[in-house]
Amino acid sequence: MSTVGHLSSLSAVSRKRDLWWQFAVRAVEARYRGSFLGLLWSVLNPVLMLGIYFVVFGIIFSGHFRDSAVETRADFAMTMFLGLTLYMLVADTLGTGPLLIVGNPNLVKKVVFPLEILPLAQAGGLWFNLAIGLVLALGGAAIFGSGVSVSGLVWLPVILLPLLMLCAGFAWLFAALGVFFRDLAQVMPFISQVVLYSSAVFYPLSRITAHPHAWAVMKWNPFLETVVLSREVVLWGMPVNMLRLGYTYGAGLAVLLFGRWVFEKLRPAFADVL
């Protein structure tokens, strides 16, 4: 399929935005349905995760992102919190993706149902958690840390858009592959850990660049670039590196189009396999 065909396919999905919204809301509700605290878990989960990682990396390992003369422990915690918030979007996308189609066999056999909505709706539900995490991280930085850059806040949606495209592409890709390779769901927790520890969430970028062989491989990780750009621009008030930002857009769009293409190619066989 040509690039024009890919874009036309994405346009067709956008015309089903009402259905997408309904399923995205359902995905959020299903995540917390039956729990005593309900949506409150969308706040508690990231805060509890921050507490664990801060004790390990901030206190036990005395981690820091910048010189200790300009970075307090609160600054370190909020910088790490921002990275963790972005990571949880990726981890949840990888964890839920392979099970989306497998878990809805009744919808697969409905010829008129647009299956491409399912991965995108799941991604939309995860974007809700991302928004909650960002409010907590940036609010914490403004109240307890050294503050946030106003211009950085303006740039934040621009920096995060490639990450949303990346996750949507992965949702389509792994939802399709998960139908044929059931072991994929078992591998995802390991892959998520690889992404976590290779994306400078807990340490400065200089720890990677100091090792040329590791940097030669890890520099191609678009999520790493998004994490670094977010904290540099929003928390530290640094100018946007347009070259690195451009790379995240190229990678995000490539994964989005590829994931959509794979989904459409494999979709006719879903019903036979399930």
Side-chain angles (χ1 to χ4, degrees):
M1 185 184 293
S2 65
T3 302
V4 174
H6 282 305
L7 295 177
S8 176
S9 178
L10 293 177
S11 177
V13 172
S14 70
R15 290 194 291 271
K16 301 181 180 72
R17 55 185 175 271
D18 290 338
L19 183 62
W20 169 80
W21 175 257
Q22 293 175 17
F23 273 80
V25 171
R26 192 179 76 166
V28 174
E29 293 175 343
R31 186 181 181 95
Y32 303 105
R33 185 181 297 124
S35 63
F36 180 73
L37 296 179
L39 285 175
L40 187 59
W41 282 112
S42 64
V43 175
L44 290 177
N45 277 330
V47 171
L48 292 174
M49 190 73 69
L50 171 65
I52 293 172
Y53 284 117
F54 176 70
V55 169
V56 174
F57 293 97
I59 297 178
I60 297 177
F61 288 106
S62 301
H64 59 85
F65 291 101
R66 297 193 292 171
D67 190 282
S68 57
V70 297
E71 181 182 78
T72 64
R73 282 195 170 181
D75 291 331
F76 174 81
M78 292 304 109
T79 302
M80 185 175 62
F81 196 4
L82 178 58
L84 276 174
T85 298
L86 302 182
Y87 162 73
M88 284 190 282
L89 172 64
V90 176
D92 287 341
T93 299
L94 296 178
T96 59
L99 303 174
L100 286 176
I101 303 300
V102 175
N104 292 278
N106 57 320
L107 295 179
V108 173
K109 297 176 182 180
K110 290 184 178 180
V111 180
V112 297
F113 185 82
L115 286 177
E116 65 275 11
I117 292 296
L118 288 179
L120 205 58
Q122 185 67 24
L126 298 179
W127 296 346
F128 169 80
N129 293 330
L130 172 66
I132 296 295
L134 288 175
V135 170
L136 293 174
L138 298 180
I143 297 172
F144 304 108
S146 299
V148 296
S149 166
V150 176
S151 62
L153 291 176
V154 174
W155 273 104
L156 185 60
V158 180
I159 295 172
L160 295 185
L161 180 58
L163 179 61
L164 302 185
M165 293 193 294
L166 190 77
C167 289
F170 279 141
W172 270 322
L173 176 64
F174 293 126
L177 294 179
V179 176
F180 304 93
F181 305 100
R182 301 299 176 89
D183 290 342
L184 194 60
Q186 309 303 320
V187 175
M188 282 306 171
F190 170 74
I191 294 178
S192 296
Q193 290 299 301
V194 172
V195 172
L196 175 62
Y197 290 106
S198 65
S199 299
V201 172
F202 305 119
Y203 52 83
L205 184 63
S206 59
R207 295 285 181 88
I208 305 177
T209 57
H211 302 277
H213 295 295
W215 176 240
V217 176
M218 296 167 66
K219 69 180 180 181
W220 302 110
N221 176 3
F223 178 61
L224 167 64
E225 294 292 357
T226 299
V227 170
V228 174
L229 281 170
S230 297
R231 66 193 185 203
E232 285 182 350
V233 175
V234 179
L235 299 182
W236 303 342
M238 296 172 61
V240 179
N241 186 313
M242 299 306 294
L243 182 61
R244 287 158 53 191
L245 180 63
Y247 172 71
T248 64
Y249 268 87
L253 183 59
V255 172
L256 179 69
L257 296 178
F258 180 69
R260 176 68 173 144
W261 177 78
V262 170
F263 189 90
E264 286 300 307
K265 285 294 182 181
L266 298 181
R267 176 178 174 173
F270 288 169
D272 295 334
V273 174
L274 295 179

